Amino acid sequence: NAGVTQTPKFRVLKTGQSMTLLCAQDMNHEYMYWYRQDPGMGLRLIHYSVGEGTTAKGEVPDGYNVSRLKKQNFLLGLESAAPSQTSVYFCASSPYRQEYPEAFFGQGTRLTVV
Amino acid sequence: AQRVTQPEKLLSVFKGAPVELKCNYSYSGSPELFWYVQYSRQRLQLLLRHISRESIKGFTADLNKGETSFHLKKPFAQEEDSAMYYCALSSASGGSYIPTFGRGTSLIVHP
């Protein structure tokens, strides 16, 4: 199993450009998440989805949009990139259970906005 | 609101020394707590979870509800333990389980 796969792994954007990060999981998980990882800040939740066609805001949603048109894919969009969005982005997924909702992570996308 | 606090950004020890990575949480209900580890240039992966009461790679963690803590311990650190460690809390929010992570502690084990 591939697990959780993120595309691309690296990207450099100019301020004002737009891009979409793709997250794909093959574990049939209901929940999917986008986090950003910054030094000293840990992992902060951007947006999440509890199922196909549903999305919700996390802790730091401003400047990002998401879509979950298919259960296996969760897209993160930056409409107008800013240097403050330079970060490592992690996608994760987890199954719906009452217990043991472990999160499975992708390998990360390193984004630099210049 | 739920919160996870890891007070130490960096923990530096020598090989063979005991290690304790601190984690405190705030949550009004019954949380599920986890430790995740991220080795250099690798993805985050689950290390252990409190409900399993297991020991992974020599690490253990005990949930102390009175002190709202879930500290990660290992009696004898190894160089390969050097990594970033995240404490996480998973709670039901409107029927959904959303993991909240602490800021992470970087563990460096010197030879």
Side-chain angles (χ1 to χ4, degrees), chain B residues 24-94:
Chain B
N24 289 90
Y25 67 91
S26 62
Y27 181 63
S28 57
S30 295
E32 297 185 33
L33 286 150
F34 306 81
W35 277 99
Y36 286 82
V37 60
Q38 184 181 27
Y39 300 104
S40 179
R41 301 192 179 279
Q42 294 187 26
R43 66 185 70 195
L44 279 87
Q45 56 187 286
L46 180 69
L47 180 62
L48 56 79
R49 47 196 161 196
H50 90 271
I51 197 73
S52 301
R53 295 184 177 275
E54 56 198 348
S55 173
I56 303 294
K57 299 184 179 182
F59 285 98
T60 59
D62 291 320
L63 177 62
N64 186 322
K65 291 187 177 180
E67 296 182 358
T68 59
S69 67
F70 188 55
H71 302 328
L72 183 68
K73 300 177 183 178
K74 185 169 183 176
F76 307 103
Q78 303 298 315
E79 290 179 68
E80 55 266 29
D81 295 329
S82 295
M84 194 74 177
Y85 291 81
Y86 290 96
C87 182
L89 180 156
S90 186
S91 65
S93 174

Side-chain angles (χ1 to χ4, degrees), chain A:
Chain A
N1 278 346
V4 180
T5 304
Q6 292 180 230
T7 309
K9 291 185 175 60
F10 305 93
R11 186 72 184 268
V12 178
L13 283 180
K14 292 182 179 179
T15 297
Q17 285 185 319
S18 63
M19 78 163 294
T20 300
L21 283 67
L22 171 63
C23 177
Q25 53 96 3
D26 61 3
M27 296 173 283
N28 201 35
H29 286 170
E30 286 77 14
Y31 297 162
M32 296 188 75
Y33 319 89
W34 276 107
Y35 291 90
R36 58 178 291 173
Q37 183 186 46
D38 301 292
M41 301 298 289
L43 288 165
R44 292 182 292 170
L45 183 66
I46 305 171
H47 286 279
Y48 66 96
S49 169
V50 301
E52 181 178 321
T54 69
T55 62
K57 294 180 180 180
E59 180 185 356
V60 288
D62 294 341
Y64 305 95
N65 56 75
V66 289
S67 65
R68 183 109 180 259
L69 298 179
K70 294 183 179 180
K71 186 177 183 179
Q72 63 268 33
N73 296 338
F74 195 30
L75 279 64
L76 178 70
L78 285 74
E79 292 184 347
S80 180
S84 61
Q85 294 178 303
T86 293
S87 186
V88 180
Y89 292 85
F90 284 98
C91 176
S93 70
S94 64
Y96 173 76
R97 295 177 188 170
Q98 291 298 318
E99 299 178 346
Y100 315 121
E102 172 190 350
F104 294 82
F105 282 84
Q107 75 277 29
T109 296
R110 187 173 295 275
L111 175 66
T112 301
V113 183
V114 298

